[in-house]
Amino acid sequence: MTRRSVIKAAGAGALAGGVSASALGAARAAEAADVLVVVEKGSHAVSFYDVSSGRRLRTVGLPDYPHEMVVDSRRRFAYVGHYGVRMSSTAGEGGAAVFVIDLVERSLARTIDTRPFNRVHGMGIDRHDRLYALSEEKAVCSVSTPPPRTRHRPGRCPRTG
């Protein structure tokens, strides 16, 4: 399957390459045309694609190895975990942040610092827009109470066991 056909399949409602239905919905809210928002872990970016043509519309560069994305209930902001290393078996500290992507402006709006909690992934967001992010190395789930788009640090960090 080519990249273009994957994008078209995702635009038709199928999940492809780690793209979530909520991210697709967020991109649709950001623009009248169908736009697909993709976390490109190996390219260290979030990119926006025109679903009809497969053409890349914009790329937002991020630090090494962003990983996983969730979207708020207003479909205005996406939150991307900064895993920071290629794979779980890769040596190194990894990333310690959540990137806030403005889906309308198609830009990096801010960065939430999660230090000392690193290798951030396992992103989630609930119906109250509380953002959850798992620190793989520290076995801690950080929680940002609303609105995470304006917070600089997580609000609570319970252990996950």
Side-chain angles (χ1 to χ4, degrees), residues 20 24 44 82-83 102 127 131 153:
S20 70
L24 179 60
H44 319 298
H82 184 206
Y83 194 68
D102 185 319
R127 63 188 173 98
L131 177 66
R153 310 263 311 148

Side-chain angles (χ1 to χ4, degrees), residues 22-31 35-38 46-48 58 60 69-80 100-109:
S22 62
L24 179 60
R28 284 186 175 145
E31 182 173 300
V35 174
L36 181 67
V37 180
V38 180
V46 169
S47 291
F48 296 78
R58 182 160 183 120
V60 178
M69 174 174 58
V70 294
V71 175
D72 71 2
S73 63
R74 295 181 314 144
R75 297 182 170 165
R76 172 64 195 263
F77 295 99
Y79 301 92
V80 179
V100 182
I101 306 297
D102 185 319
L103 296 171
V104 174
E105 298 296 323
R106 297 181 184 170
S107 64
L108 177 63

